Amino acid sequence: MSSDEEARRKREKPHCTAAQVIAFVRTRWKLTSGDGVDIYGDIDDASATELNSYDDRNFRVRVTNGATHTQYTLKVHNGVESQMPQLLAAQSGIMRHLNSHGVPAPMPVRPTATTAAGTASTGQSDTVPVDANQSESVLPETIPASDGQSESTADASAVKLDAPAGDRDCDWEFLELPLTGGGGAETHRRHAVRVLTWVHGEIAEQSSRVVHTPAFMRSIGAFIGDVSTALESFHHVGAERWHLWDNANVLSVRQLAHAVDDLANRATVEQVLIDFETKVLPVAGGLRKGVLQNDANDQNIVVQVGDASGECIPVGLLDFGDMLVSWRVNDIAISLAYFMLGKEDPVGDAAMMLAGFESTFPLTANERRLLPTLIATRLVCSCVCGAYSAAADPANQTYLLLTQKPGWAALSAIRTAGDEACLRSSQRPQRFPTLNSKP
């Protein structure tokens, strides 16, 4: 696999509407509408809301039965991941493992309604007709969330239903969709579809309700430490893969740096990559490795806001599309990179967050020494890939360029402070009582 995977993900982003996906899910899943396992309901078509995503399509829906209702995410994977069954299985495994180890995450719901041949039946034919005028009406709003995408106006003449080959003991089904981004001789791609339980709360993005106080930053760090601790006992062969968004592969973004228009920013990219070559690569063989979530940003962490105190507590983790095996220090480095964005004192906030992380998952001296460089490499990857993806998917520019301006600013802050100052700050953060990241 090479950095061309990033281009393929854009070409093979699912081309579908909420109405199509709901119709497909109805043929394959029986979904409960309340806490009782035997209370089944139907998807409320009007409830469908599309969520932000780099490469997939995700729809939040409500399943109702009288007065009871439950929310789910209907997830349609991009064409690249859909051809990687081991990765899909690893994603299912990590979600189940985290839940069983006290870290709430979406749970995949197993399909229940298939024909004897493993192919869903609509009762008339093996295709679901699409109303081209329906695409906007089924998307009443777009909300910021990490595992979906912005408003869609896609349509197609028909969608074929198909089932996964081989093992039927899986929690996804395949939906064949047209390729619209130049797939060569191929005209369609089978996309994996999942139904995921909904994690209640608010995303950790800074807002009037979610205030990034020093205590909050420390609690987020402790939560990431809980994730790292839980993942020490998890492994799956499907997580062993090459991925452009692995910090270990950051040198591959050189091939995409042409997408950065600003020459000063492009020069910063090259400087960070040289730092990575000289500081990280010589000692990389001695770094601890394991399975990572690999994208614990403020859009992927769910928090609960206290009604009286206003205190926010991390209560869930979303989005496992970037999971892989890599250096364990990368999970906190990546999270630090994103939580530094848009801050008046990004280095100080990172210091508080790191203190929380090390209260539950201590780093080695070598891992700590490399943190400033690893934070910078993730920011470079995010800024470069965001610019590249926005050029390839202009309809989704608002989401894809979300980290651009604050990303370059955070990079500047890290490089201006220097590695030694960043590390000194992290060794002497403002002290707070030990916080429990779990409710």
Side-chain angles (χ1 to χ4, degrees):
M1 195 78 70
S2 70
S3 59
D4 181 59
E5 177 188 291
E6 194 69 12
R8 280 192 59 209
R9 287 173 182 271
K10 299 301 164 292
R11 292 196 303 267
E12 299 184 21
K13 185 166 185 170
H15 185 70
C16 58
T17 66
Q20 293 170 260
V21 179
I22 289 171
F24 175 75
V25 167
R26 281 187 175 125
T27 68
R28 300 301 181 92
W29 278 267
K30 289 178 63 178
L31 300 175
T32 60
S33 60
D35 295 332
V37 295
D38 295 326
I39 304 175
Y40 293 98
D42 189 26
I43 298 172
D44 177 3
D45 297 67
S47 71
T49 303
E50 190 167 0
L51 310 176
N52 288 326
S53 178
Y54 248 71
D55 305 313
D56 303 328
R57 297 279 181 197
N58 300 303
F59 302 95
R60 180 182 64 180
V61 298
R62 184 173 60 249
V63 172
T64 63
N65 183 342
T68 64
H69 67 271
T70 302
Q71 294 186 94
Y72 294 89
T73 299
L74 310 185
K75 181 176 186 63
V76 187
H77 288 268
N78 65 77
V80 176
E81 287 183 7
S82 296
Q83 295 177 305
M84 304 168 69
Q86 289 277 36
L87 174 60
L88 296 175
Q91 291 171 352
S92 298
I94 193 173
M95 287 184 275
R96 297 183 188 281
H97 180 84
L98 287 174
N99 274 287
S100 69
H101 285 72
V103 179
M107 284 286 282
V109 181
R110 293 190 185 279
T112 54
T114 57
T115 66
T119 302
S121 172
T122 64
Q124 296 180 354
S125 68
D126 66 348
T127 63
V128 178
V130 178
D131 181 354
N133 297 317
Q134 230 173 5
S135 58
E136 293 186 354
S137 65
V138 297
L139 300 176
E141 60 176 321
T142 299
I143 65 171
S146 71
D147 205 28
Q149 206 240 266
S150 60
E151 190 173 19
S152 168
T153 56
D155 59 77
S157 59
V159 182
K160 297 179 181 178
L161 308 184
D162 202 355
D167 184 11
R168 296 296 304 160
D169 188 27
C170 63
D171 50 42
W172 64 88
E173 297 281 354
F174 284 114
L175 172 63
E176 188 170 288
L177 297 168
L179 283 174
T180 60
E186 295 181 279
T187 60
H188 289 76
R189 175 73 72 230
R190 292 186 349 141
H191 292 267
V193 178
R194 295 184 196 267
V195 175
L196 302 172
T197 59
W198 186 263
V199 179
H200 292 276
E202 302 181 30
I203 59 173
E205 181 181 27
Q206 187 161 232
S207 67
S208 59
R209 283 176 54 80
V210 182
V211 182
H212 288 197
T213 64
F216 174 77
M217 295 302 295
R218 185 178 173 102
S219 71
I220 289 291
F223 176 74
I224 302 303
D226 292 339
V227 173
S228 293
T229 299
L231 291 181
E232 281 192 297
S233 57
F234 177 75
H235 182 73
H236 195 289
V237 66
E240 298 176 356
R241 58 164 177 153
W242 193 99
H243 189 36
L244 181 62
W245 289 85
D246 181 355
N247 255 359
N249 298 327
V250 70
L251 296 180
S252 294
V253 304
R254 273 195 176 116
Q255 302 173 44
L256 308 177
H258 60 84
V260 178
D261 294 329
D262 187 282
L263 294 182
N265 287 341
R266 201 182 297 179
T268 298
V269 170
E270 184 57 28
Q271 291 163 7
V272 171
L273 297 182
I274 290 171
D275 278 354
F276 179 84
E277 290 174 316
T278 57
K279 297 175 182 178
V280 179
L281 288 186
V283 297
L287 297 177
R288 293 180 292 177
K289 297 184 72 174
V291 174
L292 313 181
Q293 186 267 355
N294 200 46
D295 195 20
N297 61 51
D298 58 356
Q299 303 283 308
N300 289 340
I301 295 176
V302 179
V303 301
Q304 187 177 73
V305 182
D307 292 335
S309 66
E311 179 186 2
C312 298
I313 301 172
V315 295
L317 184 63
L318 309 176
D319 192 355
F320 298 89
D322 288 325
M323 70 166 293
L324 43 68
V325 172
S326 190
W327 306 320
R328 299 203 65 83
V329 64
N330 279 339
D331 252 351
I332 184 59
I334 288 165
S335 196
L336 287 168
Y338 288 113
F339 276 91
M340 292 174 72
L341 301 182
K343 301 299 180 61
E344 292 183 7
D345 181 16
V347 174
D349 275 11
M352 286 308 310
M353 192 168 155
L354 180 58
F357 178 82
E358 291 205 87
S359 71
T360 57
F361 193 87
L363 295 175
T364 67
N366 210 25
E367 289 169 337
R368 293 187 96 259
R369 182 177 64 82
L370 297 177
L371 260 182
T373 303
L374 293 173
I375 293 170
T377 58
R378 181 52 170 226
L379 289 171
V380 159
C381 185
S382 180
C383 288
V384 171
C385 289
Y388 175 83
S389 298
D393 188 8
N396 198 23
Q397 277 193 355
T398 300
Y399 177 67
L400 295 173
L401 297 178
L402 194 64
T403 63
Q404 290 288 297
K405 186 175 180 179
W408 295 118
L411 263 175
S412 176
I414 293 173
R415 297 189 65 77
T416 299
D419 288 5
E420 291 186 9
C422 289
L423 292 172
R424 281 199 304 272
S425 177
S426 69
Q427 290 166 356
R428 295 191 297 273
Q430 183 179 352
R431 296 299 175 186
F432 285 84
T434 301
L435 296 175
N436 182 359
S437 65
K438 299 174 185 177

